[in-house]
């Protein structure tokens, strides 16, 4: 028969996208797990700076039973391994977030866990990057304290309305986290659970399923492996289709890496960000 329900229904907790940072838990490392120069390392994470001092960026894993950062499996380590000279600035962690316009006038909170080898403040630079052909880049600076033990820090800021600004291609928000140490010093900087969310309160870190986080990363970068066997005479042209796993942000640059002892498989002729394959010829 028919039934009438009175009252309320509480929906289950669904995986959402409150965190604008991708791979803030440092679970995805498609490029490798150890690096000896500035640049991309963990997916969606890069670093930059000047001077001659050597750097090291690596994936670190919390040991079993370590509850220093509840719910975290991995963290990101940035080190100045030699002091060098001439250093005037260093960003240990940088992420660029697409579509600056969507943040206009909003209040946002950036939070993360951090541990330093030296007690020091951390400088956070938020960049408004208006893109190619757009207005000149602007930035705001915030400072938060840190210690040699794992500590959660946060900063809240209000994004400008961008009145009168011009947006060009590749406009974005830049999140730059910089240890405020004495220049040209040796140090270790660890960071975990980076989150950027709307509102004035730092809420618990959003844990998304690994497969979902991986696909978000692959919009910008992916690795693929294909076995190619070609028979024929010298000069013969052949084609190999290699599906892209995820539609890319833009038409990607593709690099072919030929395994040691194998023949070069050819050159890339066509790559489309929204196609399901790219074509190689030899």
């Amino acid at each position: 028969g028919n039934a009438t329900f009175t009252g309320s229904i509480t929906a289950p907790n669904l995986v959402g996208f409150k965190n604008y940072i991708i791979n803030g838990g440092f679970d995805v490392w498609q490029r490798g797990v150890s690096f000896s120069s500035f640049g991309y390392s963990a997916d969606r994470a890069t670093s930059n700076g000047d001077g001659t001092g050597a750097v090291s960026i690596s994936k670190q894993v919390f040991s079993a039973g370590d509850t220093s950062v509840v719910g975290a499996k991995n963290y990101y380590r940035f080190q100045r391994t030699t002091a060098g000279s001439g250093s005037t600035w260093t960003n240990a962690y940088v992420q660029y977030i697409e579509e600056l316009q969507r943040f206009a006038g909003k209040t946002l909170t950036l939070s993360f866990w951090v541990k330093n080898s030296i007690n020091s403040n951390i400088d956070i630079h938020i960049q408004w990057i208006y893109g190619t052909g757009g207005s000149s880049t602007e930035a705001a600076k915030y400072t938060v304290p840190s210690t040699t033990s794992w500590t959660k820090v946060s900063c809240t800021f209000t994004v400008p309305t961008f009145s009168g600004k011009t947006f060009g291609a590749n406009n974005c928000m830049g999140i730059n986290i910089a240890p405020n140490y004495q220049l040209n010093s040796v140090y270790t900087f660890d960071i975990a659970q980076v989150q950027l969310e709307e509102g004035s309160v730092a809420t618990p870190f959003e844990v998304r399923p690994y497969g979902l986080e991986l696909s978000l990363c692959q919009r910008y970068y992916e690795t693929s492996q294909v076995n190619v066997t070609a028979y024929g005479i010298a000069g013969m042209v052949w084609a190999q289709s290699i599906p892209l796993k995820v539609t890319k942000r833009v038409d990607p640059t593709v690099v072919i890496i030929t395994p040691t002892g194998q023949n070069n498989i050819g050159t890339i002729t066509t790559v489309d960000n929204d196609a399901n394959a790219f074509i190689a010829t030899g």
Side-chain angles (χ1 to χ4, degrees), residues 75-94:
Y75 60 99
Y76 172 98
R77 170 165 288 176
F78 178 92
Q79 295 175 294
R80 276 280 190 180
T81 53
T82 60
S85 62
S87 176
T88 60
W89 63 281
T90 298
N91 287 318
Y93 172 87
V94 180

Side-chain angles (χ1 to χ4, degrees), residues 15-34:
V15 174
F17 292 93
K18 72 176 181 181
N19 189 5
Y20 287 107
I21 296 291
I22 297 175
N23 198 31
F26 302 108
D27 296 323
V28 184
W29 296 71
Q30 294 185 89
R31 294 173 175 85
V33 296
S34 180

Side-chain angles (χ1 to χ4, degrees), residues 26 29 41 45-47 57-58 75-78 92 189-191:
F26 302 108
W29 296 71
S41 50
T46 189
S47 57
I57 302 100
S58 60
Y75 60 99
Y76 172 98
R77 170 165 288 176
F78 178 92
F189 177 83
D190 296 334
I191 185 171

Side-chain angles (χ1 to χ4, degrees), residues 173-244:
M173 179 188 295
I175 304 295
N176 305 266
I177 299 176
N180 189 349
Y181 298 137
Q182 181 178 354
L183 296 175
N184 304 305
S185 61
V186 175
Y187 58 84
T188 299
F189 177 83
D190 296 334
I191 185 171
Q193 292 191 343
V194 185
Q195 180 156 283
L196 178 67
E197 59 189 311
E198 295 185 20
S200 58
V201 177
T203 64
F205 182 74
E206 178 181 61
V207 179
R208 294 187 282 248
Y210 177 82
L212 175 57
E213 205 72 44
L214 175 62
S215 67
L216 293 174
C217 294
Q218 287 174 333
R219 171 173 161 77
Y220 303 87
Y221 177 91
E222 74 169 64
T223 59
S224 297
Q225 180 175 332
V226 62
N227 297 319
V228 176
T229 302
Y231 300 96
I233 61 175
M236 176 178 285
V237 176
W238 54 268
Q240 176 69 37
S241 176
I242 306 173
L244 295 176

Side-chain angles (χ1 to χ4, degrees), residues 28-63:
V28 184
W29 296 71
Q30 294 185 89
R31 294 173 175 85
V33 296
S34 180
F35 305 84
S36 58
S37 61
F38 289 120
Y40 282 102
S41 50
D43 279 67
R44 302 305 302 137
T46 189
S47 57
N48 47 46
D50 63 357
T52 62
V55 300
S56 172
I57 302 100
S58 60
K59 176 183 179 180
Q60 302 293 317
V61 179
F62 285 100
S63 59

